[in-house]
Each structure stands twice: as C-alpha cells, then as structure tokens.
Amino acid sequence: MFRGRYEHTIDSKGRVSIPSKFREILAELGESKLVITQLDGALIAYPYKEWTILEERMAGLSEFKSDTRRFLRDFYSSAFDCTIDKLGRILVPQSLRSYARLDKDVMIIGIFRQFEIWSKELWEEREKNKSQEEICDMLDRLSF
C-alpha cells in the first residue's frame, strides 16, 4: 500500500498536500477521509477503513489497566478526522502541528497501511541516529 518518502510543505493555514501516489491509493480504496493522530513525535494518517480496523483491535484491550487507559486517552484524544479536499490536501489541526513541530518542510513517509507526517528536521535527525543493527535486529525478531 503506502511506501516511499516524499518531501512536501505545509502552508500557513496548516494544509499539506498528500503525495499523488498516496492519493491514487486512497482513490482506489474509495477513501476521502483520513484519521490523524500523534505518536513518536510525528503524525500518523490512517485511511478511515484502516482506522476502524484499529479501533476494533483496541476494543479488546483492558480498560482496567492504568497503562492501557493512559495510552488510549492520549491516542484517541489527539485523533482528528481530516477530509481530503479537491486539491488532494488535508488540514492538519493546530494541536497536531504543534505536537509534531510542523511549520514548513515536512516528510511524508509510507508505512504500509498508513503513512506518517514528520517535520523534515526531526525526520533527518531520526535518520541520522538510526543504526543498521537495529533494523537487522527487528528483521530477526519478525522471523519471516
């Protein structure tokens, strides 16, 4: 589904254009709305159908565990429905722009069923600090 990295800008009103390749995928899925939330210093954009699948999975979590409640509170309270306009843009709410430090240059990163929106500066910092060993360790744990 979503793969690749795309450099874009966010305008002064908080609108960001979704990469054309991602718009094609969303059109094939019949999606005109995304749900965006915050995690790991970035924003995660879920096609609406993928969000509903995620919600079904989260419904099985115990509401009586304090760490689960904290996670659900943070994750859901920062989630917003974002409609894709005719020009292929979404309006990112101010609270999410502040959280992810989005001001001008952004990176849009495909991660399979969803995509992330990063501040270009934070993305480059993350890329500089990641190690190939971490990637190899994760592949070992996945045990294909």
Side-chain angles (χ1 to χ4, degrees):
M1 293 201 22
F2 300 106
R3 45 182 187 268
R5 309 175 182 178
Y6 301 88
E7 189 173 331
H8 280 260
T9 57
I10 190 164
D11 70 16
S12 61
K13 295 180 181 178
R15 297 174 299 199
V16 66
S17 181
I18 297 170
S20 61
K21 189 70 172 167
F22 290 3
R23 288 195 309 262
E24 290 171 13
I25 294 166
L26 291 164
E28 288 172 11
L29 296 172
E31 295 280 7
S32 61
K33 183 169 51 171
L34 299 168
V35 178
I36 299 179
T37 191
Q38 62 189 39
L39 193 64
D40 294 336
L43 306 181
I44 304 177
Y46 293 89
Y48 196 75
K49 290 174 190 166
E50 288 297 328
W51 178 262
T52 59
I53 292 168
L54 180 65
E55 284 184 327
E56 288 173 16
R57 290 176 53 202
M58 288 195 186
L61 297 174
S62 172
E63 298 173 32
F64 298 105
K65 293 182 179 179
S66 61
D67 59 338
T68 302
R69 279 194 316 276
R70 276 193 307 273
F71 168 75
L72 291 173
R73 184 180 306 119
D74 292 342
F75 194 71
Y76 279 103
S77 67
S78 66
F80 290 89
D81 291 349
C82 295
T83 302
I84 302 166
D85 72 14
K86 292 178 183 180
L87 298 176
R89 302 173 303 186
I90 54 171
L91 176 63
V92 180
Q94 178 60 49
S95 61
L96 293 179
R97 292 194 314 262
S98 295
Y99 169 82
R101 295 196 265 169
L102 303 179
D103 56 8
K104 180 142 177 67
D105 296 323
V106 300
M107 295 296 296
I108 301 176
I109 312 299
I111 53 171
F112 190 47
R113 291 188 178 116
Q114 62 271 356
F115 57 91
E116 295 179 335
I117 304 170
W118 285 80
S119 149
K120 183 179 178 189
E121 179 183 346
L122 292 177
W123 175 258
E124 289 175 345
E125 184 179 313
R126 180 202 171 280
E127 286 293 285
K128 184 175 73 173
N129 294 324
K130 78 176 180 185
S131 79
Q132 292 304 311
E133 187 173 310
E134 288 173 317
I135 294 168
C136 291
D137 286 347
M138 177 55 73
L139 288 172
D140 283 343
R141 284 193 299 266
L142 291 174
S143 306
F144 285 108

